[in-house]
Amino acid sequence: DVKVTQSSRYLVKRTGEKVFLECVQDMDHENMFWYRQDPGLGLRLIYFSYDVKMKEKGDIPEGYSVSREKKERFSLILESASTNQTSMYLCASSSGGIIYEQYFGPGTRLTVT
Amino acid sequence: SQQGEEDPQALSIQEGENATMNCSYKTSINNLQWYRQNSGRGLVHLILIRSNEREKHSGRLRVTLDTSKKSSSLLITASRAADTASYFCATIGTDSWGKLQFGAGTQVVVTP
């Protein structure tokens, strides 16, 4: 059974803190993605990676960075958390080439106070 | 940017009824996908339809695609309470490698 796991389901951080969100997939997928989901806006792509140490900006990369040191792990970093980054964060992975299907993790609900 | 837009935003039906939701998009696509999200959880892939296909079935799901109108519909037949979820369409553009563009979703509530 394919699996994408995220390090936390719920996270509460203070403004200005550095926040790490971890995502691990066990499907040997080349591509990994980070989205944020806000009511009425659907999912918006923050960053994606198509190979180890490779990364590409998505639609809303400002305020975020990513790291992919190993194929199975993709980290999202909030260098200095702000209240407008309170959101649901979803990680996904897919096999290489044209995307036919993405597999999603359960999500991390981050609250920045 | 948001590519797909679902309509309606919310839908409430009774068990046994059919649920239909629509998706419109803006640019040429390689394929269109539908996902389901149960409350507070990750998304689950339901079905994919390629740009050269017009209709596809999977169990109680039926998807249509009209590329001339840049629109798609998802029909869930004989709905069940377990179908209560949000449904999202997502597209892959012909010029946007591998990136899915999601709509805002349709929230479906099926009452017993």
Side-chain angles (χ1 to χ4, degrees):
Chain A
D1 197 16
V2 297
K3 206 165 184 182
V4 179
T5 57
Q6 295 183 229
S7 49
S8 306
R9 288 299 315 278
Y10 301 94
L11 207 53
V12 179
K13 295 292 182 181
R14 293 191 181 275
T15 301
E17 278 193 85
K18 191 168 186 176
V19 181
F20 292 87
L21 302 182
E22 303 282 336
C23 176
V24 177
Q25 50 96 2
D26 65 359
M27 295 164 281
D28 201 35
H29 281 166
E30 290 81 4
N31 307 314
M32 296 188 75
F33 305 82
W34 275 108
Y35 296 90
R36 65 176 282 175
Q37 182 179 22
D38 300 287
L41 296 178
L43 276 74
R44 293 180 291 168
L45 181 65
I46 304 171
Y47 268 97
F48 66 100
S49 168
Y50 54 89
D51 201 354
V52 176
K53 296 191 186 297
M54 305 301 289
K55 60 184 179 183
E56 294 286 341
K57 292 180 180 179
D59 299 318
I60 52 164
E62 296 78 19
Y64 303 94
S65 62
V66 290
S67 172
R68 194 169 180 199
E69 297 296 318
K70 293 184 177 181
K71 190 175 185 180
E72 68 271 18
R73 189 178 298 268
F74 192 34
S75 302
L76 180 69
I77 303 154
L78 287 67
E79 294 289 342
S80 177
S82 63
T83 55
N84 63 13
Q85 292 178 311
T86 290
S87 187
M88 170 74 99
Y89 290 88
L90 292 161
C91 174
S93 72
S94 71
S95 58
I98 296 290
I99 303 301
Y100 290 115
E101 178 177 355
Q102 288 191 11
Y103 294 86
F104 282 82
T108 295
R109 188 166 292 282
L110 173 67
T111 301
V112 182
T113 61
Chain B
S1 60
Q2 200 166 306
Q3 161 81 310
E5 293 185 7
E6 286 92 340
D7 169 54
Q9 290 185 338
L11 187 58
S12 184
I13 57 174
Q14 292 198 315
E15 266 191 330
E17 293 180 340
N18 295 342
T20 301
M21 58 210 87
N22 304 295
C23 169
S24 59
Y25 57 92
K26 298 172 185 171
T27 62
S28 296
I29 61 171
N30 179 284
N31 66 66
L32 184 145
Q33 304 176 30
W34 286 90
Y35 288 78
R36 184 188 74 226
Q37 183 181 35
N38 291 91
S39 180
R41 310 293 295 186
L43 278 70
V44 175
H45 181 266
L46 293 176
I47 195 166
L48 178 151
I49 187 165
R50 291 180 171 80
S51 59
N52 61 354
E53 297 175 311
R54 292 296 166 258
E55 188 170 314
K56 203 161 184 180
H57 297 255
S58 176
R60 293 184 296 113
L61 305 179
R62 173 178 169 256
V63 170
T64 62
L65 179 65
D66 186 335
T67 53
S68 67
K69 295 181 179 178
K70 292 188 168 57
S71 67
S72 173
S73 68
L74 171 67
L75 168 68
I76 305 172
T77 60
S79 62
R80 306 166 181 168
D83 294 328
T84 294
S86 293
Y87 293 82
F88 295 87
C89 70
T91 57
I92 293 182
T94 52
D95 60 351
S96 59
W97 172 95
K99 293 193 296 181
L100 279 175
Q101 295 286 342
F102 283 86
T106 293
Q107 191 170 0
V108 175
V109 174
V110 182
T111 54

